[in-house]
Amino acid sequence: MKVAYIAHPFGGKPENVQDVERIIRQLIKQYPKYTFYSPLHNTGFFYNDIDYDTGLEHCLAMLKRCDEL
C-alpha cells in the first residue's frame, strides 16, 4: 500500500479536522490501495503545546516517509 499525506489548514480549528475526515472518507472509497495520513489527527492534539517550528518538523519528518502528498 502507498501512503498519502493529507495536507490541510488547521489553525487549531476543529472544523478543519472534520473537513479532513470527510475528505479521507471519500478518498478511501476511490483509492482502496492507499493509506491516508492526517497530521491533524495524529499530531493536532499537541498543537498548542509546542512551538510552530517544532510542530512543522514533526510534519515534515512524517511527510518524508509518505509516498504522496
Side-chain angles (χ1 to χ4, degrees), residues 6-50:
I6 305 299
H8 191 280
F10 180 41
K13 298 178 181 176
E15 59 267 23
N16 286 334
V17 175
Q18 293 169 351
D19 286 345
V20 172
E21 290 171 8
R22 180 184 46 76
I23 291 165
I24 291 176
R25 281 190 178 106
Q26 292 172 353
L27 290 171
I28 60 173
K29 292 174 187 172
Q30 290 179 290
Y31 303 96
K33 298 200 182 243
Y34 276 72
T35 293
F36 297 96
Y37 174 82
S38 166
L40 275 63
H41 290 81
N42 290 283
T43 60
F45 66 93
F46 60 73
Y47 180 78
N48 293 310
D49 297 327
I50 60 175

Side-chain angles (χ1 to χ4, degrees), residues 12 15 55 66-67:
E15 59 267 23
C66 293
D67 299 298

